[in-house]
Amino acid sequence: GIMQYFPGWGGVGPAVFLPLLGFALFFLELLAIVIPEAGMFLRKYGRRHRLTGLLHLIFLIFGIFNILLDIIPPLAYDVTLSLLGTALALSAAFDFRTAHSKQRVKNPASGALEDTTIVTFDEMLEHSFYQGLNVVQVLFLHLTPLLSSPLLRAAAALLATSPWLLRGYFPVHSFSANYSKQGQDPRTLVAILYRLKKYQYLLYKHVLLHGLNASVAVRATALGSRHSFRLYWLALNTAYV
């Protein structure tokens, strides 16, 4: 098989190695665009966000090698990656708060699918909530299987769900409002993509978040060390950027 050409790389099978290779090609293409403009990370305006973004990008790329070579324990890597994602969202929100306020930015829809869209302060603040959920979920998925009692695992699942009690303190943007406004053609490409984003969100919330948490609480499945999960977590955090 293909893996005979890559001995000693963490016992990763083709089902994980080939997607990782795809990730590597994606990041190579991204770096080909970013490196000539690397000075953007050092500019004064929004420097905190720029440097956080650079660190986050480096850590994402490092994740490919970490899955193959086990340089950092999976729990430490996954939690750090999620914390970096949260810091990235918050730094974007507050570094550009004035320039990206609703009073100054008038977007046709929430989200970033329109050609002229500028992500607002409220949108980044909302995004930080979901990045924070990633931190809570990955801690739950790594640590809960260590609990032998089903009652303790159920309690851990409730605790992992508790951040939703804070949801009302963050801005809320409706996906459906982006494609169901009066006078809007729901058949345009952008409207269709926003509808798909809503379905994607429903899949994430009910299956990949609550569903996965409930499954681990019931079955005590140790996902954290599996190469397939580590690939999934890398993909999820890449998609969040």
Side-chain angles (χ1 to χ4, degrees), residues 158-172:
L158 290 175
L159 185 63
T161 308
S162 63
W164 285 93
L165 296 173
L166 304 175
R167 183 66 183 93
Y169 294 96
F170 290 80
V172 177

Side-chain angles (χ1 to χ4, degrees), residues 45-46 48-50 52 85-102 119-129 170-171:
Y45 178 60
R48 179 174 50 183
H49 176 64
R50 296 175 190 274
T52 305
T86 306
L88 186 64
L90 288 172
S91 64
F94 289 98
D95 279 7
F96 307 116
R97 180 173 187 170
T98 302
H100 290 199
S101 65
K102 282 189 174 181
V119 180
T120 66
F121 168 76
D122 282 357
E123 288 167 346
M124 290 313 302
L125 204 58
E126 181 181 28
H127 188 62
S128 71
F129 171 79
F170 290 80

Side-chain angles (χ1 to χ4, degrees), residues 2 28 39 48 58-59 62-63 82 93 104 115 128 130 161 167 172 183 187 194 204 211 222 226 236:
I2 187 173
L28 282 174
R48 179 174 50 183
I58 292 172
F59 208 66
F62 172 75
S82 300
R104 300 187 65 173
D115 291 340
S128 71
Y130 290 98
T161 308
R167 183 66 183 93
V172 177
R187 296 167 295 181
Y194 274 124
Y204 158 74
R226 294 185 181 183
L236 181 70

Side-chain angles (χ1 to χ4, degrees), residues 6-236:
F6 303 94
W9 278 24
V12 175
V16 171
F17 181 80
L18 292 178
L20 277 177
L21 184 60
F23 261 105
L25 293 174
F26 164 76
F27 281 117
L28 282 174
E29 183 178 359
L30 180 62
L31 289 174
I33 298 171
V34 169
I35 289 175
E37 305 294 335
M40 65 182 175
F41 293 111
L42 301 177
R43 293 173 188 163
K44 184 175 180 180
Y45 178 60
R47 181 173 292 170
R48 179 174 50 183
H49 176 64
R50 296 175 190 274
L51 293 176
T52 305
L54 176 60
L55 183 59
H56 191 256
L57 174 60
I58 292 172
F59 208 66
L60 282 170
I61 296 172
F62 172 75
I64 297 174
F65 298 97
N66 198 53
I67 292 175
L68 294 171
L69 302 173
D70 287 320
I71 302 168
I72 296 177
L75 173 60
Y77 177 83
D78 292 343
V79 171
T80 303
L81 181 62
S82 300
L83 287 171
L84 279 173
T86 306
L88 186 64
L90 288 172
S91 64
F94 289 98
D95 279 7
F96 307 116
R97 180 173 187 170
T98 302
H100 290 199
S101 65
K102 282 189 174 181
Q103 290 73 28
R104 300 187 65 173
V105 176
K106 303 299 180 184
N107 290 324
S110 63
L113 296 181
E114 301 279 353
D115 291 340
T116 58
T117 292
I118 298 175
V119 180
T120 66
F121 168 76
D122 282 357
E123 288 167 346
M124 290 313 302
L125 204 58
E126 181 181 28
H127 188 62
S128 71
F129 171 79
Y130 290 98
Q131 290 281 15
L133 284 181
N134 280 350
V135 178
V136 174
Q137 185 184 26
V138 79
L139 282 169
F140 170 83
L141 294 176
H142 274 276
L143 300 178
T144 298
L146 301 177
L147 302 174
S148 57
S149 168
L151 288 178
L152 288 178
R153 295 198 300 271
L158 290 175
L159 185 63
T161 308
S162 63
W164 285 93
L165 296 173
L166 304 175
R167 183 66 183 93
Y169 294 96
F170 290 80
V172 177
H173 297 87
S174 169
F175 284 112
S176 58
N178 293 333
Y179 58 80
S180 60
K181 294 178 182 177
Q182 187 173 5
Q184 183 180 23
D185 185 356
R187 296 167 295 181
T188 64
L189 176 60
V190 171
I192 292 172
L193 289 175
Y194 274 124
R195 189 182 294 270
L196 289 174
K197 279 180 68 68
K198 178 178 181 178
Y199 298 150
Q200 178 189 32
Y201 171 73
L202 292 174
L203 171 68
Y204 158 74
K205 181 178 179 181
H206 296 291
V207 179
L208 301 178
L209 180 62
H210 298 311
L212 185 58
N213 287 357
S215 177
V216 168
V218 171
R219 303 182 63 182
T221 305
L223 293 177
S225 60
R226 294 185 181 183
H227 291 124
S228 55
F229 173 78
R230 294 166 68 184
L231 173 62
Y232 161 72
W233 199 251
L234 180 65
L236 181 70

